[in-house]
Amino acid sequence: MSRVLNRHEIILPEFELGFVAKLSRLWPVIAPMAVAIAFIVARGYVGPRGFLYEGALTMLALISYVSAAVLLVTNLFVKEKVLSRLGTLSVAIGVCFNFSGWMIRWIEAGEAEGWKKGINGIWRYFPLDNLYPLTLGFCFGAAITTLLIIRNSKNEFVGALSMPVVTVILTVAMLLGNGISTLPPILDSYWRPIHVSIATIGYGVCLVSFGLAFAYLLKDGVRSEAIAIAVTLFGLLIYGTIGGYSVPFHAEYGPSVFIGRSSLPIRVTLNGLGPLMALTMLTILVSLVLFAADWWRRDEKARKWAWKLFRSAVVLQAVVIGVAFYQLGRVDSIASRIPQRQYAALGQWLAEQNQMKLPPGAETQVASEWIEERVADFSATAKSNPVELGGLIGLFVALLLVALFGWRRKEIDKSLPSLETIDGLLYRTVGVAFPLLSLLLITGA
């Protein structure tokens, strides 16, 4: 990092330009923000009817981010100006929809509660009432930071590393649901939007810094097998923790059961998904063992089979996600899908909730009777376990990218700029993120 301090042209490439020249270089950022502000103003005047609501705008942002990720990653392997321009345009469109949807949620929250009077009333509805709008802000911070960097065509590689992550995070946000929460009194302060807004933007810049750090490692010559080992360990962590350990030990998976907004300590089983997940986990585990064998003994045969299994895991993980969403959209007969071994835990939980003492062995009977009485109120959907589904999607993206990087490593190395250039960009993004995180701590206190 110290090398950057002696490279003025890398750190401050635009500071010697005039104001008009600087402004002209910022048009890819100014234009989408101007359109977003126009959307927000129009929504305020038009009202809820006749205008896109927040959820639709967020979906459009997700589509734009997915398109940008595909275009910019493809551009790493096939250098084409049209891919670069379309990728940058997709990021800009996504920023527009992301920011306008995020801010229109402010208007929707105020309308839902009737706009309390005073400045605190306006601040009260700032869209950071729960994890969903906070994630919208985080994605916006990461996307606009990416846009600021990739408007220079020499830095377009950054988008190929940051936009896939933004896509996964925004997908998780949409699985969380966009319900508006009533703000608790303890958070009804004008410091809350200041503090959390700084957090969302700061963390977004950190996400881009992470992508740059990864690019630095690639350019510096880190082995693709080392990256594959890290991703396989991540995959085993995902499969070892989701579903209450049902995947590794029982070859079962399914969403949690809800009554209203309350989660119950039971899950339904989705047909065929558990064995498929177990097979994927086993494939990842064997590839990890073979990568480790190659790492210690430089075994060419082990490395060859490790990559074959790794790429097979990419396909299997894609099938897992497809089957999961297909099955989640068709969950019926919930009572028959709850494994009997979960009844005892549910009975104990019911006894604790009602402050009852049950005789030994009665938990299963109590749970069975309670399920029969309340099964009509049960629900199990894709939104039951959004973080787990987000982890599965994130694992697929990580497996896919590493498989591509390992397959076309030479093309990737050629697409990346020099170490000094990456180091300079990393220095600048961290230089922005550090004071933002400092302000985060100060305003939080």
Side-chain angles (χ1 to χ4, degrees):
M1 188 66 74
S2 60
R3 288 177 293 178
V4 180
L5 298 175
N6 297 320
R7 294 185 62 86
H8 177 78
E9 72 278 8
I10 293 178
I11 303 176
L12 307 170
E14 298 178 355
F15 278 23
E16 295 180 358
L17 297 174
F19 176 76
V20 176
K22 291 179 183 178
L23 199 63
S24 64
R25 290 196 173 196
L26 285 172
W27 77 263
V29 181
I30 295 173
M33 291 301 295
V35 175
I37 292 171
F39 281 167
I40 297 164
V41 173
R43 170 60 177 82
Y45 278 101
V46 173
R49 296 185 178 181
F51 201 87
L52 291 174
Y53 57 94
E54 174 272 319
L57 289 167
T58 302
M59 177 58 75
L60 291 172
L62 178 60
I63 294 171
S64 300
Y65 289 159
V66 171
S67 302
V70 172
L71 290 166
L72 293 172
V73 170
T74 304
N75 192 50
L76 283 178
F77 306 101
V78 184
K79 279 292 183 180
E80 294 287 347
K81 285 186 177 181
V82 64
L83 292 176
S84 172
R85 291 174 180 173
L86 287 175
T88 303
L89 178 62
S90 296
V91 176
I93 294 173
V95 166
C96 173
F97 289 136
N98 193 169
F99 183 73
S100 58
W102 187 32
M103 291 296 104
I104 284 175
R105 184 180 173 86
W106 191 349
I107 300 173
E108 292 177 352
E111 291 175 344
E113 200 170 274
W115 289 108
K116 289 190 176 182
K117 295 181 179 180
I119 184 66
N120 285 339
I122 296 174
W123 275 117
R124 173 183 176 83
Y125 306 108
F126 194 81
L128 294 169
D129 51 295
N130 54 43
L131 188 58
Y132 173 77
L134 191 150
T135 308
L136 294 186
F138 173 62
C139 292
F140 166 72
I144 197 168
T145 303
T146 300
L147 188 59
L148 280 165
I149 295 174
I150 68 172
R151 62 194 170 89
N152 184 340
S153 59
K154 295 179 181 179
N155 303 328
E156 59 199 14
F157 72 95
V158 176
L161 300 172
S162 63
M163 294 314 297
V165 182
V166 174
T167 298
V168 172
I169 295 172
L170 190 57
T171 301
V172 174
M174 298 195 69
L175 290 173
L176 289 170
N178 63 347
I180 296 174
S181 304
T182 301
L183 192 68
I186 194 172
L187 296 179
D188 193 3
S189 167
Y190 62 85
W191 279 107
R192 177 189 60 88
I194 296 172
H195 163 71
V196 187
S197 296
I198 293 173
T200 56
I201 304 301
Y203 291 147
V205 179
C206 287
L207 186 151
V208 178
S209 299
F210 162 77
L212 286 166
F214 183 69
Y216 188 95
L217 290 175
L218 289 174
K219 190 66 177 181
D220 199 37
V222 65
R223 290 183 62 188
S224 299
E225 290 74 20
I227 303 172
I229 288 173
V231 173
T232 53
L233 289 172
F234 171 64
L236 293 177
L237 176 65
I238 292 292
Y239 276 112
T241 55
I242 65 172
Y245 302 100
S246 292
V247 173
F249 295 110
H250 301 287
E252 292 178 353
Y253 182 76
S256 297
V257 177
F258 275 68
I259 288 185
R261 294 187 177 182
S262 301
S263 175
L264 301 174
I266 51 176
R267 289 172 177 257
V268 298
T269 298
L270 299 180
N271 298 329
L273 185 58
L276 183 59
M277 284 182 163
L279 176 61
T280 306
M281 185 180 68
L282 180 62
T283 304
I284 291 172
L285 176 61
V286 176
S287 67
L288 171 62
V289 172
L290 292 174
F291 276 128
D294 170 61
W295 186 268
W296 292 111
R297 298 184 303 176
R298 295 288 179 170
D299 189 333
E300 178 69 25
K301 186 176 181 180
R303 180 167 65 251
K304 180 180 178 181
W305 278 102
W307 278 115
K308 286 184 178 180
L309 287 172
F310 191 90
R311 293 173 186 127
S312 299
V314 177
V315 178
L316 287 171
Q317 187 65 17
V319 176
V320 164
I321 295 171
V323 172
F325 278 98
Y326 177 81
Q327 293 268 24
L328 285 168
R330 291 164 174 78
V331 176
D332 55 4
S333 304
I334 291 180
S336 64
R337 291 174 177 265
I338 302 173
Q340 286 291 324
R341 68 174 184 277
Q342 298 184 21
Y343 279 43
L346 175 61
Q348 185 61 38
W349 180 81
L350 290 170
E352 292 173 358
Q353 295 296 310
N354 293 281
Q355 298 181 350
M356 297 169 51
K357 288 187 178 180
L358 297 177
E363 294 89 351
T364 300
Q365 181 64 28
V366 169
S368 179
E369 293 175 356
W370 188 81
I371 288 174
E372 290 180 6
E373 293 175 359
R374 303 297 301 274
V375 68
D377 300 325
F378 288 176
S379 65
T381 65
K383 295 182 179 180
S384 297
N385 303 94
V387 176
E388 290 184 0
L389 288 177
L392 293 173
I393 296 171
L395 175 59
F396 168 70
V397 172
L399 289 169
L400 178 62
L401 289 178
V402 173
L404 289 173
F405 292 162
W407 177 45
R408 303 290 292 273
R409 181 60 185 270
K410 292 182 179 180
E411 288 82 351
I412 294 293
D413 290 341
K414 291 179 182 179
S415 298
L416 297 176
S418 65
L419 280 175
E420 290 78 8
T421 300
I422 300 174
D423 199 22
L425 289 170
L426 183 57
Y427 182 87
R428 295 167 70 184
T429 54
V430 172
V432 172
F434 184 79
L436 286 174
L437 296 180
S438 300
L439 287 172
L440 162 70
L441 296 176
I442 294 168
T443 55

